[in-house]
Amino acid sequence: MLLQLRFYGDPVLRKKTEPVESITDEIRQIAKDLIETMYEEEGVGLAAPQVGISKRLFAIDTSTSRKEGKVLVNPEIVSRQGQVVMEEGCLSFPGIYGKIERSEKIRLRGKTVDGEDFDQELDGLSARAVLHELDHLEGVLFVDHMTPSQKIVLQSKLKKLAKQTKKQLGKL
Ligand code: ZN
């Protein structure tokens, strides 16, 4: 089932998520829907709060085949190395992009939605996407990492988006 994306200005994006206690049928369904929605929206990652679910899991697929989507539950960074700047966007911020500095390499631990342990070193786009999605689980958004001058440039776009989101939420 496709889920409704939440946009900047929606309070759910600022909430710290709750850990997943156990992988139930409900969690498996959310995982399936996250992957489906991520592909539909052509994202490389999608965190649960971005569809209004304040739980600690996200979908990710940085492959070119778009067939390697997985969902990680209660993910945690074990270590990080280096710093690198890359352009980023976010499905919750349509049309807004910016260069963001993040760790270059990370080691990530968690569980897959099948209950298997996940422990991998990631770099490049995978590390970048995971760090971006992890931020979502803490209520942190990519614009929070921008420099003051980047924020000034985007200020009016961001205000407009937040206003539009609040208007839509008011109609629900
Ligand atoms: Zn995002």
Side-chain angles (χ1 to χ4, degrees), residues 38-39 43-44 60-70 125:
M38 172 179 73
Y39 286 146
V44 295
I60 191 138
D61 188 355
T62 55
S63 72
T64 43
S65 67
R66 311 288 292 151
K67 280 178 185 161
E68 289 171 35
K70 56 172 147 310
L125 182 60

Side-chain angles (χ1 to χ4, degrees), residues 45 50 89-93 132-133 136 141-142:
Q50 291 183 279
C90 177
L91 291 177
S92 298
F93 293 76
H132 178 115
E133 301 315 324
H136 274 300
L141 301 171
F142 84 129

Side-chain angles (χ1 to χ4, degrees), residues 1 8 17 37 40 44 65 73 78 85 141 146 163 166:
M1 188 177 80
Y8 178 62
T17 55
T37 308
E40 174 69 20
V44 295
S65 67
V73 178
V78 186
V85 176
L141 301 171
M146 288 183 181
K163 207 174 150 187
K166 296 228 159 83

Side-chain angles (χ1 to χ4, degrees), residues 103-169:
S103 302
E104 192 175 8
K105 283 187 185 172
I106 56 168
R107 185 162 162 209
L108 186 76
R109 247 185 229 160
K111 287 221 180 274
T112 68
V113 78
D114 305 313
E116 281 160 16
D117 289 326
F118 180 91
D119 187 343
Q120 260 185 35
E121 298 214 359
L122 303 168
D123 60 11
L125 182 60
S126 304
R128 163 106 358 205
V130 160
L131 288 165
H132 178 115
E133 301 315 324
L134 274 171
D135 271 355
H136 274 300
L137 304 183
E138 302 296 330
V140 174
L141 301 171
F142 84 129
V143 290
D144 301 341
H145 295 289
M146 288 183 181
T147 62
S149 58
Q150 280 177 300
K151 281 182 191 158
I152 289 167
V153 172
L154 290 174
Q155 206 173 35
S156 66
K157 269 192 176 176
L158 288 171
K159 266 193 180 160
K160 209 173 146 189
L161 176 57
K163 207 174 150 187
Q164 200 184 314
T165 301
K166 296 228 159 83
K167 215 168 144 186
Q168 270 173 0
L169 287 173

Side-chain angles (χ1 to χ4, degrees), residues 15-54:
K15 251 175 92 177
K16 189 175 155 71
T17 55
E18 296 291 330
V20 174
E21 301 280 347
S22 60
I23 298 169
T24 57
D25 285 346
E26 186 203 354
I27 295 294
R28 275 186 280 269
Q29 186 62 48
I30 294 171
K32 241 187 187 175
D33 295 343
L34 271 177
I35 293 221
E36 198 183 327
T37 308
M38 172 179 73
Y39 286 146
E40 174 69 20
E41 303 289 346
E42 297 179 350
V44 295
L46 185 65
Q50 291 183 279
V51 291
I53 299 167
S54 198

